[in-house]
RNA sequence: GGAGAGGUGGCUGAGCGGCUGAAAGCAACGGUUUGCUAAACCGUCGUACUGGGUCACACCGGUACCGGGGGUUCGAAUCCCCCCCUCUCCGCCA
């Protein structure tokens, strides 16, 4: 969410941001509704003041022990007279009440409309974000690690998974429908090993590990910016008015919502391993093979909550990006870092760097990580604040990035570490979690 | 799922129809005192929206908020209804 004052002052800035991000937002209408909302509030405030003051006067009239009442009697007013005044005021306030009622109704509807519109306002991208219409115009910043040459014919992860008996897509689909899978034996172990490695690396860097709810209230989804716009991407448990999260970013970022932290508590660095649920609505027919685009996966996510300071945000953005790159290096996987253009940025993101890991079966880099910073966009929605040195209440800045998401990461991991004899070498960093250095085909 | 108790400011906790946005204590912050620390004393100390004010702060005013939503009333933290949440006991259970 953006400060309404800055929208009032410079609506064009938001219009430009919406155009660049390809986000629908009727800024003119919002500004109109805001004006109406303020006018109603002022009128209502005046009426309520009158009502309160009158009510207090009635209290004085009816209380013979009040100073006002004693003085009135001393000044020669009769009890009858005072009672008449009290009744007169009450009559008057009855009329005020009649005027307040419909105004309150209008106030409610206007505010609802206002709140709804505010939720559609995009966070303007940082000035240094490249302009572009969609992901085809993202800019490659650097490639790290060499794409290896193989002197034998590579199997894709689906074939490898079947031959090694570690991935069973067919039965996953039987149980749960399309875009589901089952990991088995060393496949299940490798999946957990990757997550464990990622988590251990984050703990070593001072991130507090958390175990968080994955079925959350809708406010939490709204607060982090996934609702209302992305509502159709989430699995809903409507009976309980809750949603399954698509990432642990949601509960981690909302952890301190509705709180006012002390500045000396910041920055907060959290990580969580959680299951992630994604409907992938609108992606029918896209990435249909294998483990790339699936409805359920596990991920270690990192979140930083820091002071309201753009330079600090940038600094931490670089830090969380580095954390993810270090994990890929530990997994001995080649990747590239991409500077995401305006058109491919989410509503709330100021800037985003994706990491794409080389995937032989796709003959391209595929997105495995996404590092974003939000400034106060999420914090405003979540009422996530802190008191600064001058005792002023300010909104925090939030950032997040993937540490590792599996099984998607198993695609490059299996495909790039396979050997001519059909085995897969387990990278050094994972061996302690697997107690082996190689995945072998099952004995015939 | 059944029975009971309860939700008030950062925390504890009073208030139970009107001068209460809310006592008191703790914590925090500023100051005095002090060789340092501690103690003592004085002061400050909720949030949101909004009007005025300022280059911007400061500052001055209004309204709302005592779990959420509705109702009664001239007036609700206080009375009534619905919902949510927490705790205790019982049942069930990974």
């Amino acid at each position: 969410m953006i400060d309404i004052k800055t929208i009032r002052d410079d609506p064009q800035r938001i219009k430009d941001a919406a155009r660049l991000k390809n986000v629908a937002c009727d800024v003119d209408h919002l500004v109109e509704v805001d004006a109406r909302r303020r006018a109603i509030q002022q009128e209502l405030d005046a009426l309520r003041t009158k009502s309160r003051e009158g009510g207090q006067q009635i209290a004085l009239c009816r209380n013979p022990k009040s100073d006002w009442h004693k003085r009135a009697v001393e000044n020669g007013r009769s009890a009858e007279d005072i009672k008449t005044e009290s009744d007169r005021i009450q009559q008057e306030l009855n009329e005020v009440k009649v005027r307040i009622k419909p105004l309150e109704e209008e106030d409610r509807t206007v505010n609802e409309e206002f709140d709804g519109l505010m939720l559609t306002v995009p966070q303007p991208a940082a000035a240094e974000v490249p302009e572009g219409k969609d992901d085809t115009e993202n800019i490659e910043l650097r490639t790290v690690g060499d794409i290896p040459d193989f002197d034998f014919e590579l199997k894709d992860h689906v074939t490898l998974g079947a031959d090694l008996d570690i991935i069973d897509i067919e039965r996953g689909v039987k149980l749960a429908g399309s875009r589901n899978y089952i990991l088995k034996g060393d496949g299940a172990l490798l999946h957990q090993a990757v997550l464990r490695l990622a988590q251990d690396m984050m703990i070593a860097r001072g991130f507090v590990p958390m175990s968080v709810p994955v079925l959350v209230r809708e406010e939490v989804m709204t607060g982090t910016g996934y609702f209302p716009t992305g509502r159709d991407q989430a699995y809903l448990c409507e009976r309980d008015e809750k949603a399954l999260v698509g990432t642990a970013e949601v509960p981690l970022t909302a952890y301190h919502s509705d709180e006012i932290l002390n500045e000396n508590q910041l920055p907060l660095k959290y990580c969580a391993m959680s299951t992630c649920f994604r409907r992938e609505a609108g992606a029918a027919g896209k990435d249909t093979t294998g483990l790339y685009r699936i409805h359920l996966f596990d991920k270690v996510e990192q979140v930083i909550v820091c002071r309201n300071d753009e330079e600090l945000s940038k600094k931490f953005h670089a830090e969380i990006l580095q954390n993810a790159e270090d994990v890929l290096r530990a997994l001995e996987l080649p990747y590239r870092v991409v500077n995401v253009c305006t058109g491919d940025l989410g509503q709330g993101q100021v800037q985003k760097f994706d990491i794409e890991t080389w995937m032989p079966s796709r003959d391209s880099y595929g997105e495995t990580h996404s590092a974003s910073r939000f400034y106060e966009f999420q914090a405003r929605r979540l009422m996530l604040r802190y008191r600064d040195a001058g005792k002023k209440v300010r909104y925090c800045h939030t950032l997040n990035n993937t540490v590792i998401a599996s099984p998607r990461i198993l695609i490059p991991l299996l495909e790039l570490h396979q050997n001519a004899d059909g085995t897969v070498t387990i990278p050094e960093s994972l061996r302690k979690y697997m107690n082996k250095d190689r995945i072998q085909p099952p004995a015939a």
Side-chain angles (χ1 to χ4, degrees):
Chain A
M1 200 142 62
I2 302 299
D3 190 347
I4 182 61
K5 293 188 195 89
T6 69
I7 302 174
R8 264 179 229 151
D9 290 349
D10 189 1
Q12 191 56 45
R13 178 167 162 266
I14 304 303
K15 287 183 199 171
D16 292 341
R19 181 175 46 78
L20 287 170
K21 280 193 167 185
N22 258 324
V23 167
C25 176
D26 191 342
V27 180
D28 290 330
H29 187 216
L30 172 63
V31 170
E32 269 168 40
V33 171
D34 174 51
R36 204 141 53 84
R37 156 184 158 267
R38 284 190 290 161
I40 291 168
Q41 185 183 331
Q42 280 174 48
E43 197 178 343
L44 205 47
D45 283 357
L47 288 174
R48 281 171 172 158
T49 304
K50 198 169 172 186
S51 164
R52 204 203 68 226
E53 286 171 353
Q56 280 168 353
Q57 187 55 44
I58 290 172
L60 294 175
C61 291
R62 299 213 177 144
N63 180 2
K65 288 187 199 127
S66 74
D67 290 345
W68 181 89
H69 196 282
K70 285 180 192 155
R71 232 177 306 120
V73 172
E74 277 163 25
N75 289 339
R77 294 185 66 172
S78 68
E80 199 58 35
D81 184 24
I82 291 172
K83 165 127 192 359
T84 309
E85 174 165 353
S86 158
D87 289 348
R88 200 205 78 234
I89 295 170
Q90 187 167 328
Q91 192 50 46
E92 215 175 284
L93 291 185
N94 268 324
E95 281 156 31
V96 171
K97 194 179 172 182
V98 168
R99 287 168 63 200
I100 286 179
K101 260 272 154 53
L103 256 187
E104 277 181 338
E105 190 55 47
E106 198 181 346
D107 184 57
R108 193 169 17 234
T109 51
V110 167
N111 270 301
E112 263 166 34
E113 187 177 11
F114 175 74
D115 293 342
L117 286 167
M118 282 298 276
L119 291 178
T120 67
V121 175
Q123 164 75 48
E128 63 267 33
V129 170
E131 252 186 61
K133 63 176 194 311
D134 56 36
D135 60 357
T136 60
E137 297 188 46
N138 293 345
I139 309 245
E140 179 180 288
L141 290 180
R142 58 179 178 275
T143 62
V144 178
D146 295 323
I147 296 169
D149 283 325
F150 292 89
D151 53 10
F152 58 93
E153 197 171 330
L154 287 186
K155 295 178 182 173
D156 68 21
H157 68 283
V158 178
T159 309
L160 272 171
D163 290 353
L164 295 168
D165 195 24
I166 58 173
I167 299 170
D168 189 341
I169 290 176
E170 207 175 306
R171 289 195 181 87
V173 171
K174 176 177 77 175
L175 300 194
S178 66
R179 299 196 191 284
N180 280 98
Y181 58 93
I182 288 169
L183 300 175
K184 188 178 174 187
D186 284 340
L189 293 180
L190 187 62
H191 170 72
Q192 284 167 15
V194 152
L195 295 166
R196 282 295 311 278
L197 170 72
Q199 188 177 62
D200 286 351
M201 287 178 71
M202 295 311 291
I203 293 169
R205 286 160 196 231
F207 282 69
V208 178
M210 311 259 260
S211 173
V212 291
V214 292
L215 182 59
V216 301
R217 297 174 191 286
E218 294 213 4
E219 301 94 90
V220 174
M221 298 296 284
T222 304
T224 42
Y226 285 93
F227 280 14
T229 309
R231 204 157 183 276
D232 59 347
Q233 292 301 334
Y235 288 104
L236 299 176
C237 298
E238 279 151 314
R239 253 199 319 196
D240 300 297
E241 294 179 313
K242 284 174 189 173
L244 287 164
V245 300
T247 161
E249 165 201 340
V250 171
L252 283 183
T253 309
Y255 183 58
H256 290 291
S257 58
D258 286 317
E259 293 183 25
I260 300 177
L261 303 163
N262 287 321
E263 184 169 351
N264 60 20
Q265 290 175 264
L266 303 175
L268 294 163
K269 298 182 177 185
Y270 296 129
C271 66
M273 186 191 296
S274 89
T275 302
C276 305
F277 302 86
R278 301 195 180 178
R279 284 188 74 228
E280 299 296 347
K286 215 162 138 191
D287 310 312
T288 47
T289 44
L291 298 179
Y292 190 79
R293 191 178 295 275
I294 47 194
H295 286 311
L296 180 149
F297 57 95
D298 290 291
K299 176 158 64 71
V300 177
E301 178 76 6
Q302 48 180 330
V303 163
I304 293 183
V305 176
C306 70
R307 282 186 355 239
N308 192 309
D309 179 323
E310 297 190 5
E311 287 311 309
L312 201 59
S313 282
K314 286 185 196 174
K315 190 193 119 197
F316 285 127
H317 200 179
E319 181 180 319
I320 59 177
L321 183 62
Q322 188 61 53
N323 290 340
E325 289 190 59
D326 290 346
V327 172
L328 288 178
R329 221 179 308 248
L331 294 175
E332 301 167 38
L333 297 174
Y335 62 89
R336 66 173 187 174
V337 180
V338 162
N339 189 2
V340 173
C341 72
T342 53
D344 196 24
L345 230 41
Q347 184 197 356
Q349 294 160 346
V350 173
Q351 186 171 33
K352 176 160 74 172
F353 298 112
D354 281 355
I355 298 178
E356 302 178 343
T357 307
W358 180 254
M359 301 185 183
S361 60
R362 294 173 69 86
D363 194 29
S364 71
Y365 289 98
E367 183 185 328
T368 51
H369 296 70
S370 189
S372 321
R373 64 177 212 267
F374 290 84
Y375 289 165
E376 45 178 66
F377 181 83
Q378 292 182 314
R380 269 186 184 275
R381 291 175 166 231
L382 288 166
M383 293 299 272
L384 167 54
R385 297 154 298 170
Y386 69 99
R387 215 176 290 277
D388 72 9
K391 288 191 173 185
K392 217 179 138 195
V393 175
R394 311 196 64 189
Y395 291 101
C396 299
H397 278 189
T398 62
L399 312 89
N400 65 70
N401 188 13
T402 318
V403 185
I404 207 75
S406 181
R408 185 179 278 191
I409 200 65
L410 301 190
I411 298 171
L413 197 60
L414 292 170
E415 292 177 357
L416 288 167
H417 292 310
Q418 65 179 296
N419 304 304
D421 63 0
T423 64
V424 171
T425 303
I426 296 168
E428 184 65 44
S429 58
L430 293 177
R431 290 182 193 167
K432 64 172 170 172
Y433 301 106
M434 302 265 312
N435 285 318
K436 59 175 76 172
D437 56 13
R438 185 174 290 257
I439 299 177
Q440 309 268 6

